[in-house]
Amino acid sequence: MIPITIGIADDHLLVIQGIKAMLAKKSHLSIVFAAENGKSLFDNLKIAQPDVLLLDIQMPDVSGIDLCQQVAKDYPSVKIVALTNMDESFYVKQMIRNGAAGYLLKNTDQFTMIEAIEEVMMGNQYLDKQIQKNLMEEMLLGKKRSAQQVMLTKRELEILGLIAKEFTNHEIAESLFISLRTVQTHRLNISHKLNAKNMVSLVKEAYKRGLI
């Protein structure tokens, strides 16, 4: 088999160890680095560009969606596969739009992960079976949130208000006494619920709906 080099970007040590264990017995697969945040990812990419990058969407310093776009732009030869717990179609579409070649859920098994890596290396797109099912249901049944159905939690409304005031993620975390990762998760959920692609459209949509 053709040798394939792999990079991992995930801030959970147990996840990184799990991936290494899954791939350890496959002689044609080798892990060249494991990065725990966005800065570390780009530091590693400057030294070595893997054939495939397994990228978590929820990174501690920068959204994995933004990282995907930047990696795809700066290192177009790297095949990006999202590896995440987020199964909503919004995130799938964002990642694919930003250059990801594959999308896996973290509960995937060894066979599926290896299959995904080999498929994207052949120039194909790979989506987790659960993701394919979700997308098909959305397409066939129209499972989309209408404007009237959008409901934000009290915490999401608090964060949305601070976003509108141009608070950074770090400032929001400090203001609400929560972790940076929690802020990022809430922001992703708010963007999903409002179907917003960036901060400008997020705030605009929030005002339109009378949420802020």
Side-chain angles (χ1 to χ4, degrees):
M1 294 185 179
I2 299 175
I4 302 174
T5 56
I6 299 165
I8 305 170
D10 195 295
D11 65 331
H12 286 93
L13 182 58
L14 285 176
V15 172
I16 293 174
Q17 292 175 336
I19 295 172
K20 289 180 177 180
M22 279 187 179
L23 306 181
K25 295 182 180 180
K26 298 298 178 179
S27 59
H28 69 299
L29 304 178
S30 60
I31 297 173
V32 293
F33 68 74
E36 296 182 7
N37 54 54
K39 182 181 182 305
S40 175
L41 171 60
F42 281 102
D43 287 343
N44 278 283
L45 285 171
K46 289 176 183 177
I47 299 171
Q49 294 83 54
D51 296 314
V52 177
L53 173 65
L54 300 176
L55 175 63
D56 187 11
I57 290 180
Q58 296 174 279
M59 296 294 282
D61 52 349
V62 185
S63 164
I65 293 174
D66 294 333
L67 286 174
C68 179
Q69 184 177 44
Q70 195 62 49
V71 172
K73 177 183 176 182
D74 294 348
Y75 303 97
S77 66
V78 177
K79 305 292 186 181
I80 303 170
V81 176
L83 185 61
T84 177
N85 289 318
M86 318 292 279
D87 64 353
E88 291 91 344
S89 62
F90 170 82
Y91 304 116
V92 181
K93 293 173 182 177
Q94 286 285 82
M95 289 297 286
I96 298 300
R97 186 180 294 118
N98 283 2
Y103 200 102
L104 289 176
L105 296 178
K106 285 188 175 179
N107 62 0
T108 191
D109 56 33
Q110 180 188 44
F111 173 81
T112 302
M113 179 174 290
I114 294 172
E115 183 180 51
I117 291 170
E118 294 177 342
E119 280 293 316
V120 299
M121 274 301 296
M122 290 189 291
N124 301 321
Q125 187 179 83
Y126 192 96
L127 298 179
D128 188 284
K129 286 184 173 59
Q130 181 60 48
I131 297 301
Q132 293 181 38
K133 180 176 180 289
N134 292 351
L135 292 173
M136 184 62 70
E137 287 180 348
E138 180 179 293
M139 182 178 71
L140 295 177
L141 304 178
K143 284 189 173 180
K144 289 202 172 191
R145 300 174 187 268
S146 67
Q148 291 73 29
Q149 292 174 323
V150 171
M151 294 290 292
L152 299 185
T153 65
K154 181 180 178 182
R155 178 64 82 189
E156 288 170 346
L157 287 170
E158 288 178 326
I159 291 176
L160 181 59
L162 294 176
I163 291 173
K165 294 178 182 179
E166 300 185 357
F167 276 49
T168 66
N169 283 355
H170 286 282
E171 290 171 336
I172 293 174
E174 292 177 359
S175 177
L176 299 179
F177 303 102
I178 56 179
S179 71
L180 181 61
R181 188 178 183 83
T182 298
V183 174
Q184 292 173 328
T185 299
H186 280 306
R187 286 189 68 140
L188 283 172
N189 289 336
I190 294 168
S191 295
H192 174 214
K193 290 180 179 181
L194 299 184
N195 194 28
K197 299 177 181 178
N198 52 52
M199 190 180 73
V200 174
S201 62
L202 175 67
V203 174
K204 182 178 179 181
E205 188 65 21
Y207 273 113
K208 180 181 176 181
R209 295 172 185 264
L211 296 171
I212 53 178

